[in-house]
Amino acid sequence: QVQLVESGGGLVQPGGSLRLSCAASGSIFSIHAMGWYRQALGKERELVATITSGSSTVYAESAKGRFTISRDSAKNTVYLQMNSLKPEDTAVYYCNADLTTSTWHPLSAWGQGTLVTVSS
């Protein structure tokens, strides 16, 4: 089994910052890419940012210039530094990992989500 555990969500005022973390563990052979998605109330889940094993990154337009994704491959951990937060960033943030398990199966794993609330 593979587990993704997110942390770092919470309540922050507009203009503030938060750093999300996601650690993957379990029967993992290799992780090809990790990323963050979010889902606001009443909306579909959307991409925020992804990072590959080669450190190539992709950002949603809404995240460019404000959010930074990074990873520590040795720890199977991905981070999302979020600055200049806006009320519209309020959502549940989910971690995702595209990986190969130790039994050589491809897997797209998801975390349980962490709530980010931007409000004064």
Side-chain angles (χ1 to χ4, degrees), residues 37 61 80 103:
Y37 294 73
E61 285 296 323
L80 185 68
T103 55

Side-chain angles (χ1 to χ4, degrees), residues 63-115:
K64 289 180 180 178
R66 299 187 301 128
F67 295 0
T68 302
I69 190 169
S70 60
R71 65 185 289 175
D72 184 336
S73 296
K75 296 181 179 180
N76 287 341
T77 299
V78 65
Y79 306 96
L80 185 68
Q81 178 66 43
M82 303 186 293
N83 298 327
S84 302
L85 282 161
K86 305 174 182 180
E88 51 263 44
D89 294 316
T90 296
V92 177
Y93 284 70
Y94 295 92
C95 176
N96 172 263
D98 286 330
L99 55 92
T100 298
T101 69
S102 57
T103 55
W104 294 90
H105 291 90
L107 177 67
S108 182
W110 291 90
Q112 293 296 312
T114 185
L115 177 62

Side-chain angles (χ1 to χ4, degrees), residues 25 35 50-51 92 104:
S25 63
T50 62
I51 185 167
V92 177
W104 294 90

